[in-house]
């Protein structure tokens, strides 16, 4: 099997799991641009409960993300993923039949109980070679971004013709389609990838929280999704007030997202080519701050609001794309799964808190209050980022290790540490793997010679 590119199996894994992840995330995202406008017929409707309904999935998602990943390790990835999609479909049906906003909140919370992100990523790791795993994860990540863009187009269009309940019925169908993909298209894993690469270890979570670099990134993704959710509580009302009919919102959102993507690409290229990721990171924070201030100060001007939306998505897209890779760069060797577990939990907690904050701020301070509070949070994140270290261009490598006992593992780790290009090395006896962080001078064949690994 060639190491130069994805095998046919790995391509199938990448695109089928990306489809499952994307369909589910699209189902979660479609409500964001339309709920504030199309949910006004529900009993108990208020801006506060709009925010709670939009963000409710985040709380159950955050609470169950790590436990569902651990269960997938015990009972198998595909059964847990299928159970998660069933819960997601049930939550969608509950929300579709709700007459009271409390019913929608409950349905969204049940949707979030299908917390399958960790299990999906672990299954992707199980079915791919280490040297190709990053590419597969990138495909899944791009599909999540695409699903968000499509949700901004599909959500308003479906709501225009089928109403709010139609959104939830479509979400239920997307969950069923996801189940079919998992059952018929996703291969069954023969082995499991090393746990340190994929799943969170509860015993290590405190260490992840106390790591200053990881804490900055976890706080950042919390703020990013808090701000995203809060903005979509208030922005739809502002667009209507500025003269854009609710049926036409997709005419702004989708082109704005595409334009933002085009603006984001040069930032990524400059950051990578000049090894200047931190500067581009901070520039994105400033762009988001400017966009939020424009939203707050020029609520009645549709052209300036449109420009603000493009800027908002530009900063958001860059940060959303760069944060996971920064987590991987800063995570301790062999503990990427735990670092990503804390990161994902922070992300979904941010969505929940953003709904609460956005709804409450809109109800008592108006839309301008929401945007000003969000801009203050971006200032706090910018200040936190000042202490962020410049990420070193390192690659994580996981290799099979033929280990006999603990002294043998310690000897192997010491030998690996002496190899040119190896920055960190850890050998785990229980998993029979070696975790390495390496630079461009690393020679894979020399490491395999030390480990007695032929593949």
């Amino acid at each position: 099997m060639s190491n130069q590119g994805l095998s046919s199996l790995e391509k199938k894994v990448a695109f089928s799991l990306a489809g499952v992840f994307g369909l589910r995330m699209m189902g979660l995202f479609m409500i964001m641009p339309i709920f504030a406008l199309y949910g006004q017929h529900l009993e108990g409707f208020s801006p506060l409960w709009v925010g709670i309904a939009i963000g409710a999935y985040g709380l159950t998602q955050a609470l169950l993300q790590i436990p569902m990943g651990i269960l997938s390790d015990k009972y198998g990835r595909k059964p847990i993923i299928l159970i998660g999609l069933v819960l997601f479909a049930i939550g969608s049906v509950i929300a579709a039949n709700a007459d009271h906003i409390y019913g929608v909140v409950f349905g969204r919370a049940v949707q979030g109980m299908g917390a399958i992100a960790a299990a999906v990523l672990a299954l992707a790791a199980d079915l791919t070679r280490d040297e190709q795993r990053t590419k597969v994860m990138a495909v899944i990540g791009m599909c999540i971004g695409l699903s968000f863009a499509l949700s901004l187009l599909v959500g308003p269009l479906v709501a225009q013709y089928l109403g709010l309940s139609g959104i939830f019925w479509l979400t239920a169908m997307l969950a069923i389609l996801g189940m079919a993909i998992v059952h018929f298209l996703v291969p069954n894993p023969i082995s499991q990838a090393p746990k340190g690469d994929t799943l969170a270890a509860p015993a290590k979570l405190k260490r992840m929280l106390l790591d200053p670099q990881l804490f900055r990134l976890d706080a950042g993704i919390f703020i990013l999704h808090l701000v995203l959710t809060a903005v979509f509580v208030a922005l739809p009302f502002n667009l209507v007030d500025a003269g854009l009919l609710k049926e036409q919102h997709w005419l702004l959102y989708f082109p704005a997202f595409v334009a933002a993507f085009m603006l984001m690409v040069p930032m990524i290229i400059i950051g990578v080519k000049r090894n200047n990721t931190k500067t581009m990171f901070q520039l994105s924070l400033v762009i988001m701050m400017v966009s939020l201030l424009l939203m707050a100060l020029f609520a009645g001007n549709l052209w300036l609001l449109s420009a603000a939306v493009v800027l908002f998505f530009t900063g958001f897209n860059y940060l959303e794309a760069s944060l996971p890779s920064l987590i991987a760069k800063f995570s301790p060797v062999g503990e990427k799964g735990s670092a990503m577990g804390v990161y994902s939990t922070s992300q979904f907690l941010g969505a929940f808190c953003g709904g609460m904050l956005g709804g409450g701020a809109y109800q008592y301070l108006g839309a301008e209050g929401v945007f000003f509070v969000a801009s203050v949070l971006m200032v706090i994140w910018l200040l936190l980022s000042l202490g962020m270290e410049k990420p070193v261009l390192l690659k994580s490598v996981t290799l099979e290790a033929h280990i006999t006992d603990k002294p043998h593992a310690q000897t192997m780790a010491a030998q690996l540490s002496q190899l040119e290009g190896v920055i960190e090395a850890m050998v785990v006896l229980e998993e029979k793997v070696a975790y390495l962080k390496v630079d461009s001078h690393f020679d894979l064949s020399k490491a395999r010679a030390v480990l007695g690994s032929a593949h």
Side-chain angles (χ1 to χ4, degrees):
M1 190 181 287
S2 170
N3 287 337
Q4 299 304 310
L6 295 177
S7 67
S8 58
L9 173 67
E10 287 166 335
K11 289 176 183 176
K12 184 178 182 181
V13 168
F15 289 104
S16 59
L17 288 179
V20 172
F21 217 130
L23 289 171
R24 181 177 169 278
M25 295 309 290
M26 187 172 166
L28 286 172
F29 289 144
M30 277 194 298
I31 189 180
M32 291 182 68
I34 62 94
F35 187 66
L37 301 175
Y38 285 87
Q40 296 182 23
H41 66 281
L42 295 168
E43 289 184 52
F45 180 91
S46 72
L48 175 60
W49 280 101
V50 166
I52 294 172
I54 290 177
Y57 79 94
L59 180 61
T60 47
Q61 190 90 209
L63 292 174
L64 294 175
Q65 195 67 242
I66 292 173
M68 289 282 274
I70 294 170
L71 286 173
S72 79
D73 204 36
K74 185 174 182 180
Y75 297 108
R77 314 291 192 215
K78 288 179 73 170
I80 295 302
I81 293 170
L82 288 169
I83 289 170
L85 289 170
V86 168
L87 286 169
F88 188 72
I90 291 171
S92 302
V93 172
I94 291 171
N97 287 287
D99 295 320
H100 200 292
I101 199 163
Y102 298 163
V104 175
V105 171
F106 179 62
R108 291 280 285 176
V110 174
Q111 282 183 329
M113 291 172 66
I116 61 171
V120 169
L121 295 177
L123 180 56
D126 293 344
L127 293 166
T128 54
R129 296 164 291 164
D130 174 71
E131 58 267 28
Q132 301 300 332
R133 196 168 292 151
T134 302
K135 295 178 186 176
V136 173
M137 298 300 181
V139 170
I140 294 174
M142 286 190 293
C143 196
I144 294 172
L146 179 61
S147 70
F148 183 72
L150 285 175
S151 71
L152 298 175
L153 171 65
V154 175
L157 285 174
V158 173
Q160 180 181 347
Y161 295 104
L162 300 177
L164 182 64
S165 63
I167 290 282
F168 289 118
W169 284 117
L170 176 58
T171 298
M173 288 188 281
L174 292 177
I176 293 169
L177 178 57
M179 285 183 251
I181 292 172
V182 171
H183 184 72
F184 293 109
L185 296 181
V186 177
N188 291 306
I190 298 170
S191 60
Q192 288 190 340
K195 293 182 180 64
D197 270 351
T198 57
L199 293 176
K204 296 177 180 176
L205 299 183
K206 183 178 179 182
R207 179 180 170 186
M208 299 299 105
L209 287 167
L210 294 176
D211 184 294
Q213 297 305 320
L214 291 177
F215 174 79
R216 286 183 173 87
L217 300 175
D218 294 332
I221 194 63
F222 174 86
I223 291 173
L224 185 65
H225 279 259
L226 186 156
V227 168
L228 175 71
T229 311
V231 162
F232 274 103
V233 173
L235 181 61
F237 291 121
N238 269 23
L239 292 174
V240 169
D241 291 341
L244 189 66
L245 298 175
K246 64 182 182 180
E247 295 83 8
Q248 298 175 329
H249 284 198
W250 67 274
L251 292 170
L252 168 61
Y253 289 139
F254 189 72
F257 194 90
V258 173
F261 180 81
M262 301 299 290
L263 291 170
M264 173 199 71
V265 171
M267 294 172 64
I268 292 178
I269 293 171
I270 292 169
V272 172
K273 281 193 173 181
R274 299 185 181 177
N275 194 18
N276 209 7
T277 302
K278 181 177 177 180
T279 301
M280 291 297 105
F281 187 90
Q282 291 173 329
L283 175 61
S284 297
L285 296 176
V286 172
I287 288 172
M288 284 194 72
M289 273 191 289
V290 171
S291 73
L292 291 164
L293 290 173
L294 284 174
M295 291 179 193
L297 295 172
F298 300 99
N301 188 313
L302 184 57
W303 288 107
L304 286 176
L305 269 181
S306 300
V309 171
V310 173
L311 289 174
F312 180 86
F313 283 142
T314 301
F316 175 84
N317 287 346
Y318 182 88
L319 294 165
E320 183 79 0
S322 62
L323 280 166
S325 64
L326 289 172
I327 285 282
K329 287 183 175 72
F330 285 121
S331 63
V333 65
E335 297 181 7
K336 187 164 62 177
S338 297
M340 289 303 296
V342 174
Y343 172 85
S344 296
T345 301
S346 302
Q347 177 180 2
F348 291 118
L349 272 178
F352 171 69
C353 293
M356 296 281 288
L357 178 67
Y362 187 89
Q363 188 156 322
Y364 297 106
L365 301 174
E368 292 78 6
V370 173
F371 301 135
F372 274 123
V373 170
S375 63
V376 169
L377 289 170
M378 299 307 297
V379 171
I380 292 171
W381 189 1
L382 182 61
L383 293 174
L384 275 174
S385 75
L386 297 177
M388 187 174 84
E389 294 175 2
K390 188 176 181 180
V392 182
L393 295 176
L394 300 177
K395 186 171 76 168
S396 296
V397 177
T398 306
L399 296 170
E400 182 182 343
H402 295 273
I403 321 167
T404 54
D405 52 31
K406 189 173 181 179
H408 188 201
Q410 292 171 335
T411 302
M412 276 187 173
Q415 291 175 340
L416 289 168
S417 298
Q418 297 304 311
L419 294 178
E420 183 182 10
V422 176
I423 309 302
E424 287 184 76
M426 181 174 72
V427 179
V428 182
L429 175 61
E430 295 79 9
E431 299 179 30
K432 296 195 179 301
V433 295
Y435 296 106
L436 309 176
K437 278 204 169 182
V438 302
D439 62 22
S440 58
H441 302 292
F442 173 66
D443 187 332
L444 183 61
S445 62
K446 291 182 180 179
R448 283 181 169 154
V450 169
L451 296 166
S453 171
H455 59 284

